[in-house]
Amino acid sequence: MKFLSEYRDPEVARQYLDEIRKTVTRPWTIMEVCGGQTHSLVKNGILDMLPDEVRMVHGPGCPVCVTPLNLIDKAVYLAEEKNVILCSFGDMLRVPGSEKSLLEAKANGADIRILYSPLEAVNIAKDNPDREVVFFAVGFETTAPANALSVIHADRYGLKNYSILTSHVLVPPAIEAVMDDEATQIEGFLAAGHVCTIMGINEYYPLVDKYKVPIVVTGFEPVDLLQGILMTVKQLETGEHKLENQYARMVRPEGNPHAIKTLEEVFDITDRMWRGIGVIPGSGYELKAKYAAYDARLKFDVNIPEAPESDSCIAGEVMKGIKKPFECPNFGKACKPETPLGAPMVSSEGACAAYYHFSGMLEELETVQP
């Protein structure tokens, strides 16, 4: 398959690995921002094949993982107490709230439906005029245009029973937050190619200039990632810091103008709470005043008190690249996909889930346990 099979070619991957080994002369710490990239690195064994000098750490690019505890509690409340039809992407269902997950609420009888597109939720609202329908709108810039479009469609149809519970977060402010953390050791970034497919790459130039770090926009297949790592290492070895686009087959510098126009029509940029990290200024979307009727938080006046995160979960340190999942004392023990202490253990893009399912680290830990 064009643009797929050649980026999984083992021989090409070996060539890039050899080139990385020949290029690197000292230790470097590189963060891949996106959880999808993390899973590819772990699943394909790339972390084990890289030279010891190249240390990959895992970023906050898992939207499910950074969705605040309080917002999950609000979604559960709407489904259970307000009797809405709560629609969501599937990977949100098992993420623990302060008391229960959406999956547990569904098991208890709440009308919670897994969808592949928010436009399906609009159709459900059209077909059920006597029920309120809420779509749990979670994601980075990648999924935001479709969620924005669902609001435009609902407004066009005159639907009064449709709204979205918004938890959209933005990548560039997250990179700033990671770099501003005094514990950070990150010297280069692999940026998320699918986000840049929507937004373009211009937002990253100021970050390169401000923090003097290379940023390489990278795809998700093994060869994509190895080429992106090589491009980053070459910059680091020569003392350069610039923005490069490895994912040029998909990412245009200007992004997708139609998607950006849709986002600007529906959303304003706002401060946003990131689970495990805290509030990051200017890092999220909220509905504009003209679309306030479609904001579930305003429509239902949901007032759920903030609940404390588990003291046993180090998700914030993992997502800031300070620690690896296996450095958590609960990894593979008290925290497993069936009994997660935090979202990164259950999300399809969570770093802890990637290590649990695909790395040999769990077996190594089990062999040293008494």
Side-chain angles (χ1 to χ4, degrees), residues 306 359 366:
E306 293 286 347
S359 80
E366 289 175 343

Side-chain angles (χ1 to χ4, degrees), residues 22 24 37 48 76 110 113 116 135 162 170 200 229 249 284 286 294 298 344 349:
K22 293 175 183 176
V24 67
Q37 293 173 331
D48 297 325
V76 170
R113 308 184 188 185
Y116 291 100
F135 186 79
Y162 179 74
L170 311 177
I229 292 168
R249 69 184 188 277
E286 67 178 359
Y294 301 97
L298 298 177
E349 294 191 353

Side-chain angles (χ1 to χ4, degrees), residues 67 71-80 84 86-114 136 138 165:
T67 298
L71 206 53
I72 296 171
D73 289 344
K74 288 179 180 179
V76 170
Y77 172 81
L78 290 174
E80 291 189 331
V84 307
L86 196 286
C87 303
S88 173
F89 296 132
D91 53 359
M92 279 304 305
L93 262 66
R94 296 187 60 244
V95 178
S98 62
E99 296 183 359
K100 65 180 69 172
S101 66
L102 286 169
L103 186 62
E104 290 171 301
K106 180 177 175 64
N108 291 335
D111 193 348
I112 298 173
R113 308 184 188 185
I114 299 173
F136 199 0
V138 174
L165 184 62

Side-chain angles (χ1 to χ4, degrees), residues 352-364:
C352 298
Y355 274 73
Y356 186 91
H357 290 297
F358 302 121
S359 80
M361 190 57 61
L362 187 62
E363 289 78 6
E364 291 181 28

Side-chain angles (χ1 to χ4, degrees), residues 17 61 90 175:
L17 279 166
I175 293 178

Side-chain angles (χ1 to χ4, degrees), residues 118-119 141-153 156 164 168 198-199 256-269 285-288 290-291:
L119 298 181
E141 297 94 328
T142 319
T143 58
N147 292 328
L149 193 61
S150 77
V151 171
I152 292 174
H153 280 210
R156 184 179 301 160
I164 64 174
H168 278 302
I198 300 295
M199 303 303 295
N256 184 325
H258 297 293
I260 293 171
K261 183 178 179 180
T262 300
L263 293 174
E264 292 174 345
E265 163 67 19
V266 174
F267 291 123
D268 283 327
I269 294 177
Y285 285 137
E286 67 178 359
L287 285 169
K288 288 181 179 289
K290 65 184 290 188
Y291 291 112

